[in-house]
Amino acid sequence: MNTAPQPSQPRVTDLMSRHPVCVRDDAPIVEAVQLLDQRSLHGLPVVDVDGELVGVVSQTDMVRARTVQHLWTAWHGLKVRHLMSAPALTIEADATLEEAAARMEANQVHRLVVLAADEATPIGIISTSDIVRSLLEERGHGDE
């Protein structure tokens, strides 16, 4: 029987991007577009006035909106909440990377919002890129 300690599995908290850039649900669409562009992001958690997660808006959402732009360009007051995906897919900070990867695959998404212990406040983002990077790092350590 092998009694050697098993290496701990990497956790979401080990690789997530901390302090995510968020956008308010009542912000104009142009604000989300500017944040995505200026910060080279692919998606943003959407929060309400209390800072609680209510959805996610992504580049894909913007592309979809562009295809029907003629329907909404005359609609003054279009807000982030009108284009966001809701509810946001989330994960706990102490979940394993395997759990995060499985949730992304099952839901065909590229990122999950990591929530604080209050289960409402975004504290990070874990993306497919983070998971791929972890695989490379594991591989690199295994070759030494």
Short mmCIF file of all heavy atoms in Angstrom, two decimals, residues 89-140:
data_model
loop_
_atom_site.label_atom_id
_atom_site.label_comp_id
_atom_site.label_asym_id
_atom_site.label_seq_id
_atom_site.Cartn_x
_atom_site.Cartn_y
_atom_site.Cartn_z
N LEU A 89 -21.89 31.72 -15.20
CA LEU A 89 -21.38 30.44 -14.72
C LEU A 89 -20.24 30.74 -13.76
O LEU A 89 -19.34 31.51 -14.07
CB LEU A 89 -20.90 29.57 -15.88
CG LEU A 89 -22.04 29.12 -16.79
CD1 LEU A 89 -21.50 28.44 -18.02
CD2 LEU A 89 -22.98 28.18 -16.04
N THR A 90 -20.29 30.12 -12.60
CA THR A 90 -19.34 30.43 -11.53
C THR A 90 -18.68 29.17 -11.01
O THR A 90 -19.09 28.05 -11.32
CB THR A 90 -20.07 31.12 -10.36
OG1 THR A 90 -21.02 30.22 -9.81
CG2 THR A 90 -20.75 32.40 -10.81
N ILE A 91 -17.67 29.40 -10.20
CA ILE A 91 -16.97 28.31 -9.52
C ILE A 91 -16.38 28.86 -8.23
O ILE A 91 -16.13 30.07 -8.11
CB ILE A 91 -15.89 27.68 -10.42
CG1 ILE A 91 -15.46 26.33 -9.87
CG2 ILE A 91 -14.72 28.63 -10.63
CD1 ILE A 91 -15.01 25.36 -10.89
N GLU A 92 -16.16 27.98 -7.28
CA GLU A 92 -15.59 28.35 -6.00
C GLU A 92 -14.07 28.40 -6.14
O GLU A 92 -13.48 27.63 -6.88
CB GLU A 92 -15.97 27.34 -4.91
CG GLU A 92 -17.46 27.13 -4.75
CD GLU A 92 -18.07 26.24 -5.85
OE1 GLU A 92 -17.37 25.35 -6.39
OE2 GLU A 92 -19.23 26.48 -6.20
N ALA A 93 -13.44 29.27 -5.37
CA ALA A 93 -11.99 29.43 -5.42
C ALA A 93 -11.24 28.16 -5.03
O ALA A 93 -10.16 27.89 -5.54
CB ALA A 93 -11.55 30.58 -4.51
N ASP A 94 -11.82 27.34 -4.15
CA ASP A 94 -11.13 26.13 -3.72
C ASP A 94 -11.42 24.91 -4.59
O ASP A 94 -10.94 23.81 -4.32
CB ASP A 94 -11.42 25.83 -2.25
CG ASP A 94 -12.89 25.51 -1.99
OD1 ASP A 94 -13.72 25.73 -2.88
OD2 ASP A 94 -13.19 25.03 -0.88
N ALA A 95 -12.17 25.08 -5.67
CA ALA A 95 -12.44 23.98 -6.60
C ALA A 95 -11.14 23.60 -7.31
O ALA A 95 -10.23 24.43 -7.47
CB ALA A 95 -13.50 24.38 -7.62
N THR A 96 -11.05 22.37 -7.77
CA THR A 96 -9.87 21.93 -8.51
C THR A 96 -9.93 22.44 -9.95
O THR A 96 -11.01 22.75 -10.46
CB THR A 96 -9.74 20.40 -8.53
OG1 THR A 96 -10.85 19.86 -9.28
CG2 THR A 96 -9.71 19.82 -7.12
N LEU A 97 -8.78 22.46 -10.59
CA LEU A 97 -8.74 22.85 -12.00
C LEU A 97 -9.51 21.85 -12.85
O LEU A 97 -10.14 22.21 -13.84
CB LEU A 97 -7.31 22.97 -12.48
CG LEU A 97 -6.50 24.11 -11.88
CD1 LEU A 97 -5.11 24.16 -12.52
CD2 LEU A 97 -7.20 25.44 -12.02
N GLU A 98 -9.49 20.60 -12.42
CA GLU A 98 -10.26 19.56 -13.13
C GLU A 98 -11.75 19.89 -13.09
O GLU A 98 -12.45 19.76 -14.10
CB GLU A 98 -9.99 18.19 -12.50
CG GLU A 98 -10.64 17.05 -13.24
CD GLU A 98 -10.25 15.70 -12.64
OE1 GLU A 98 -9.05 15.46 -12.42
OE2 GLU A 98 -11.18 14.91 -12.40
N GLU A 99 -12.24 20.31 -11.93
CA GLU A 99 -13.65 20.69 -11.81
C GLU A 99 -13.96 21.90 -12.70
O GLU A 99 -15.00 21.94 -13.37
CB GLU A 99 -13.99 21.02 -10.36
CG GLU A 99 -13.97 19.82 -9.43
CD GLU A 99 -14.07 20.19 -7.96
OE1 GLU A 99 -13.37 21.14 -7.53
OE2 GLU A 99 -14.85 19.53 -7.24
N ALA A 100 -13.05 22.87 -12.72
CA ALA A 100 -13.26 24.06 -13.55
C ALA A 100 -13.29 23.67 -15.03
O ALA A 100 -14.17 24.11 -15.77
CB ALA A 100 -12.16 25.08 -13.28
N ALA A 101 -12.35 22.84 -15.45
CA ALA A 101 -12.30 22.42 -16.85
C ALA A 101 -13.56 21.66 -17.23
O ALA A 101 -14.13 21.87 -18.31
CB ALA A 101 -11.06 21.56 -17.09
N ALA A 102 -14.02 20.79 -16.36
CA ALA A 102 -15.24 20.01 -16.63
C ALA A 102 -16.45 20.93 -16.75
O ALA A 102 -17.30 20.74 -17.64
CB ALA A 102 -15.45 18.97 -15.53
N ARG A 103 -16.55 21.93 -15.90
CA ARG A 103 -17.68 22.86 -15.96
C ARG A 103 -17.63 23.69 -17.25
O ARG A 103 -18.65 23.91 -17.90
CB ARG A 103 -17.68 23.78 -14.74
CG ARG A 103 -18.95 24.61 -14.65
CD ARG A 103 -19.15 25.24 -13.30
NE ARG A 103 -19.24 24.20 -12.28
CZ ARG A 103 -19.16 24.44 -10.97
NH1 ARG A 103 -19.01 25.67 -10.53
NH2 ARG A 103 -19.25 23.47 -10.10
N MET A 104 -16.43 24.14 -17.64
CA MET A 104 -16.31 24.88 -18.89
C MET A 104 -16.70 24.02 -20.08
O MET A 104 -17.44 24.47 -20.96
CB MET A 104 -14.87 25.39 -19.07
CG MET A 104 -14.50 26.52 -18.18
SD MET A 104 -12.79 27.02 -18.54
CE MET A 104 -12.31 27.70 -16.97
N GLU A 105 -16.22 22.80 -20.10
CA GLU A 105 -16.52 21.89 -21.21
C GLU A 105 -18.00 21.57 -21.26
O GLU A 105 -18.61 21.61 -22.34
CB GLU A 105 -15.69 20.60 -21.07
CG GLU A 105 -15.98 19.57 -22.11
CD GLU A 105 -15.65 20.00 -23.54
OE1 GLU A 105 -14.81 20.91 -23.72
OE2 GLU A 105 -16.25 19.45 -24.47
N ALA A 106 -18.59 21.27 -20.14
CA ALA A 106 -20.01 20.91 -20.11
C ALA A 106 -20.91 22.05 -20.57
O ALA A 106 -21.95 21.82 -21.17
CB ALA A 106 -20.42 20.49 -18.69
N ASN A 107 -20.47 23.29 -20.32
CA ASN A 107 -21.28 24.46 -20.67
C ASN A 107 -20.78 25.20 -21.91
O ASN A 107 -21.34 26.23 -22.27
CB ASN A 107 -21.34 25.42 -19.47
CG ASN A 107 -22.13 24.83 -18.33
OD1 ASN A 107 -23.35 24.79 -18.38
ND2 ASN A 107 -21.44 24.33 -17.32
N GLN A 108 -19.71 24.67 -22.52
CA GLN A 108 -19.14 25.28 -23.73
C GLN A 108 -18.84 26.77 -23.55
O GLN A 108 -19.25 27.60 -24.36
CB GLN A 108 -20.07 25.05 -24.93
CG GLN A 108 -20.25 23.59 -25.29
CD GLN A 108 -18.95 22.95 -25.76
OE1 GLN A 108 -18.38 23.37 -26.73
NE2 GLN A 108 -18.48 21.93 -25.05
N VAL A 109 -18.13 27.08 -22.43
CA VAL A 109 -17.71 28.46 -22.17
C VAL A 109 -16.20 28.50 -22.01
O VAL A 109 -15.55 27.47 -21.80
CB VAL A 109 -18.40 29.04 -20.91
CG1 VAL A 109 -19.90 29.13 -21.11
CG2 VAL A 109 -18.05 28.25 -19.67
N HIS A 110 -15.64 29.70 -22.08
CA HIS A 110 -14.20 29.88 -22.01
C HIS A 110 -13.72 30.47 -20.69
O HIS A 110 -12.53 30.60 -20.47
CB HIS A 110 -13.71 30.77 -23.15
CG HIS A 110 -14.01 30.20 -24.49
ND1 HIS A 110 -13.25 29.20 -25.05
CD2 HIS A 110 -15.00 30.46 -25.37
CE1 HIS A 110 -13.75 28.88 -26.23
NE2 HIS A 110 -14.82 29.62 -26.44
N ARG A 111 -14.67 30.82 -19.84
CA ARG A 111 -14.28 31.40 -18.55
C ARG A 111 -15.37 31.17 -17.52
O ARG A 111 -16.54 31.05 -17.88
CB ARG A 111 -13.96 32.89 -18.69
CG ARG A 111 -15.14 33.79 -18.86
CD ARG A 111 -14.82 35.15 -19.42
NE ARG A 111 -14.08 35.13 -20.66
CZ ARG A 111 -14.62 34.88 -21.86
NH1 ARG A 111 -15.90 34.65 -21.97
NH2 ARG A 111 -13.87 34.88 -22.93
N LEU A 112 -14.94 31.15 -16.27
CA LEU A 112 -15.87 31.07 -15.14
C LEU A 112 -15.55 32.20 -14.18
O LEU A 112 -14.37 32.53 -13.99
CB LEU A 112 -15.71 29.73 -14.40
CG LEU A 112 -15.99 28.46 -15.20
CD1 LEU A 112 -15.54 27.24 -14.40
CD2 LEU A 112 -17.46 28.36 -15.57
N VAL A 113 -16.55 32.77 -13.59
CA VAL A 113 -16.35 33.80 -12.58
C VAL A 113 -16.15 33.10 -11.24
O VAL A 113 -16.90 32.19 -10.88
CB VAL A 113 -17.56 34.76 -12.51
CG1 VAL A 113 -17.34 35.83 -11.44
CG2 VAL A 113 -17.81 35.40 -13.87
N VAL A 114 -15.11 33.50 -10.54
CA VAL A 114 -14.82 32.95 -9.22
C VAL A 114 -15.45 33.88 -8.18
O VAL A 114 -15.24 35.09 -8.22
CB VAL A 114 -13.29 32.83 -8.99
CG1 VAL A 114 -13.01 32.16 -7.66
CG2 VAL A 114 -12.63 32.08 -10.14
N LEU A 115 -16.24 33.27 -7.30
CA LEU A 115 -16.97 34.06 -6.32
C LEU A 115 -16.33 34.01 -4.94
O LEU A 115 -15.73 33.00 -4.55
CB LEU A 115 -18.41 33.56 -6.21
CG LEU A 115 -19.27 33.74 -7.45
CD1 LEU A 115 -20.66 33.16 -7.21
CD2 LEU A 115 -19.36 35.20 -7.85
N ALA A 116 -16.53 35.09 -4.20
CA ALA A 116 -16.10 35.16 -2.80
C ALA A 116 -16.97 34.23 -1.96
O ALA A 116 -17.96 33.68 -2.45
CB ALA A 116 -16.23 36.60 -2.30
N ALA A 117 -16.63 34.10 -0.71
CA ALA A 117 -17.37 33.23 0.20
C ALA A 117 -18.84 33.63 0.31
O ALA A 117 -19.69 32.78 0.59
CB ALA A 117 -16.71 33.24 1.58
N ASP A 118 -19.17 34.90 0.04
CA ASP A 118 -20.57 35.33 0.10
C ASP A 118 -21.39 34.82 -1.08
O ASP A 118 -22.60 35.02 -1.14
CB ASP A 118 -20.67 36.86 0.20
CG ASP A 118 -20.20 37.59 -1.06
OD1 ASP A 118 -19.88 36.94 -2.09
OD2 ASP A 118 -20.15 38.83 -1.02
N GLU A 119 -20.72 34.16 -2.04
CA GLU A 119 -21.36 33.57 -3.22
C GLU A 119 -22.07 34.61 -4.08
O GLU A 119 -22.99 34.29 -4.82
CB GLU A 119 -22.31 32.44 -2.84
CG GLU A 119 -21.60 31.29 -2.16
CD GLU A 119 -22.53 30.14 -1.81
OE1 GLU A 119 -23.73 30.21 -2.10
OE2 GLU A 119 -22.02 29.16 -1.24
N ALA A 120 -21.62 35.87 -4.01
CA ALA A 120 -22.23 36.92 -4.81
C ALA A 120 -21.21 37.87 -5.42
O ALA A 120 -21.47 38.45 -6.47
CB ALA A 120 -23.21 37.71 -3.95
N THR A 121 -20.05 38.02 -4.79
CA THR A 121 -19.07 39.00 -5.21
C THR A 121 -17.96 38.36 -6.05
O THR A 121 -17.31 37.42 -5.57
CB THR A 121 -18.43 39.68 -3.98
OG1 THR A 121 -19.46 40.19 -3.14
CG2 THR A 121 -17.49 40.80 -4.40
N PRO A 122 -17.76 38.83 -7.27
CA PRO A 122 -16.67 38.28 -8.10
C PRO A 122 -15.31 38.64 -7.53
O PRO A 122 -15.05 39.80 -7.21
CB PRO A 122 -16.86 38.96 -9.46
CG PRO A 122 -18.18 39.62 -9.43
CD PRO A 122 -18.53 39.84 -7.99
N ILE A 123 -14.44 37.63 -7.37
CA ILE A 123 -13.08 37.86 -6.88
C ILE A 123 -12.03 37.44 -7.90
O ILE A 123 -10.85 37.68 -7.71
CB ILE A 123 -12.82 37.14 -5.54
CG1 ILE A 123 -13.00 35.63 -5.69
CG2 ILE A 123 -13.68 37.74 -4.44
CD1 ILE A 123 -12.47 34.83 -4.50
N GLY A 124 -12.47 36.79 -8.97
CA GLY A 124 -11.50 36.36 -9.97
C GLY A 124 -12.18 35.77 -11.19
O GLY A 124 -13.40 35.62 -11.23
N ILE A 125 -11.34 35.43 -12.16
CA ILE A 125 -11.78 34.77 -13.38
C ILE A 125 -10.80 33.63 -13.64
O ILE A 125 -9.58 33.82 -13.50
CB ILE A 125 -11.72 35.73 -14.61
CG1 ILE A 125 -12.59 36.95 -14.39
CG2 ILE A 125 -12.05 34.99 -15.89
CD1 ILE A 125 -14.06 36.72 -14.55
N ILE A 126 -11.32 32.48 -13.99
CA ILE A 126 -10.47 31.37 -14.44
C ILE A 126 -10.88 31.08 -15.88
O ILE A 126 -12.08 31.00 -16.18
CB ILE A 126 -10.60 30.11 -13.53
CG1 ILE A 126 -9.63 29.02 -13.95
CG2 ILE A 126 -12.01 29.58 -13.48
CD1 ILE A 126 -8.25 29.15 -13.41
N SER A 127 -9.90 31.00 -16.76
CA SER A 127 -10.21 30.84 -18.18
C SER A 127 -9.57 29.57 -18.74
O SER A 127 -8.71 28.96 -18.09
CB SER A 127 -9.69 32.04 -18.96
OG SER A 127 -8.28 32.03 -19.00
N THR A 128 -9.97 29.23 -19.93
CA THR A 128 -9.37 28.07 -20.60
C THR A 128 -7.87 28.31 -20.78
O THR A 128 -7.09 27.37 -20.66
CB THR A 128 -10.04 27.80 -21.96
OG1 THR A 128 -10.04 29.00 -22.72
CG2 THR A 128 -11.46 27.29 -21.78
N SER A 129 -7.48 29.53 -21.03
CA SER A 129 -6.05 29.84 -21.18
C SER A 129 -5.28 29.52 -19.90
O SER A 129 -4.16 29.01 -19.96
CB SER A 129 -5.84 31.31 -21.54
OG SER A 129 -6.45 31.60 -22.75
N ASP A 130 -5.87 29.82 -18.76
CA ASP A 130 -5.23 29.51 -17.47
C ASP A 130 -5.03 28.01 -17.32
O ASP A 130 -3.98 27.55 -16.85
CB ASP A 130 -6.07 30.03 -16.30
CG ASP A 130 -6.24 31.53 -16.30
OD1 ASP A 130 -5.28 32.25 -16.67
OD2 ASP A 130 -7.34 31.99 -15.93
N ILE A 131 -6.03 27.25 -17.71
CA ILE A 131 -5.96 25.79 -17.57
C ILE A 131 -4.94 25.21 -18.54
O ILE A 131 -4.15 24.34 -18.16
CB ILE A 131 -7.36 25.16 -17.71
CG1 ILE A 131 -8.21 25.59 -16.52
CG2 ILE A 131 -7.27 23.64 -17.83
CD1 ILE A 131 -9.65 25.19 -16.56
N VAL A 132 -4.92 25.70 -19.76
CA VAL A 132 -3.92 25.23 -20.73
C VAL A 132 -2.52 25.54 -20.22
O VAL A 132 -1.62 24.71 -20.27
CB VAL A 132 -4.17 25.85 -22.12
CG1 VAL A 132 -3.00 25.60 -23.05
CG2 VAL A 132 -5.45 25.30 -22.71
N ARG A 133 -2.32 26.75 -19.70
CA ARG A 133 -1.02 27.14 -19.15
C ARG A 133 -0.61 26.20 -18.02
O ARG A 133 0.55 25.79 -17.93
CB ARG A 133 -1.07 28.59 -18.65
CG ARG A 133 0.28 29.17 -18.34
CD ARG A 133 0.23 30.66 -17.97
NE ARG A 133 -0.68 31.46 -18.76
CZ ARG A 133 -1.88 31.90 -18.35
NH1 ARG A 133 -2.32 31.64 -17.14
NH2 ARG A 133 -2.64 32.63 -19.14
N SER A 134 -1.56 25.80 -17.18
CA SER A 134 -1.24 24.90 -16.07
C SER A 134 -0.80 23.54 -16.59
O SER A 134 0.08 22.91 -16.01
CB SER A 134 -2.43 24.76 -15.12
OG SER A 134 -3.42 23.92 -15.66
N LEU A 135 -1.40 23.09 -17.68
CA LEU A 135 -1.00 21.81 -18.27
C LEU A 135 0.44 21.88 -18.77
O LEU A 135 1.21 20.93 -18.60
CB LEU A 135 -1.94 21.42 -19.41
CG LEU A 135 -3.36 21.08 -19.02
CD1 LEU A 135 -4.23 20.94 -20.26
CD2 LEU A 135 -3.40 19.81 -18.18
N LEU A 136 0.80 22.99 -19.38
CA LEU A 136 2.17 23.17 -19.86
C LEU A 136 3.15 23.21 -18.71
O LEU A 136 4.24 22.64 -18.79
CB LEU A 136 2.28 24.45 -20.70
CG LEU A 136 1.60 24.39 -22.06
CD1 LEU A 136 1.62 25.77 -22.71
CD2 LEU A 136 2.24 23.36 -22.95
N GLU A 137 2.76 23.89 -17.64
CA GLU A 137 3.63 23.97 -16.47
C GLU A 137 3.82 22.60 -15.84
O GLU A 137 4.94 22.23 -15.45
CB GLU A 137 3.08 24.97 -15.45
CG GLU A 137 3.19 26.41 -15.91
CD GLU A 137 2.47 27.38 -15.00
OE1 GLU A 137 1.89 26.97 -13.97
OE2 GLU A 137 2.46 28.58 -15.36
N GLU A 138 2.75 21.84 -15.74
CA GLU A 138 2.85 20.47 -15.19
C GLU A 138 3.77 19.63 -16.07
O GLU A 138 4.59 18.88 -15.59
CB GLU A 138 1.48 19.82 -15.11
CG GLU A 138 0.60 20.33 -14.01
CD GLU A 138 -0.78 19.71 -14.04
OE1 GLU A 138 -0.97 18.65 -14.67
OE2 GLU A 138 -1.69 20.31 -13.43
N ARG A 139 3.60 19.75 -17.37
CA ARG A 139 4.40 19.00 -18.34
C ARG A 139 5.87 19.38 -18.20
O ARG A 139 6.75 18.54 -18.22
CB ARG A 139 3.90 19.27 -19.75
CG ARG A 139 4.70 18.67 -20.84
CD ARG A 139 4.41 17.21 -20.93
NE ARG A 139 5.17 16.71 -22.07
CZ ARG A 139 5.39 15.47 -22.27
NH1 ARG A 139 4.90 14.56 -21.47
NH2 ARG A 139 6.09 15.09 -23.32
N GLY A 140 6.13 20.67 -18.07
CA GLY A 140 7.51 21.15 -17.93
C GLY A 140 8.17 20.62 -16.67
O GLY A 140 9.32 20.22 -16.69
#
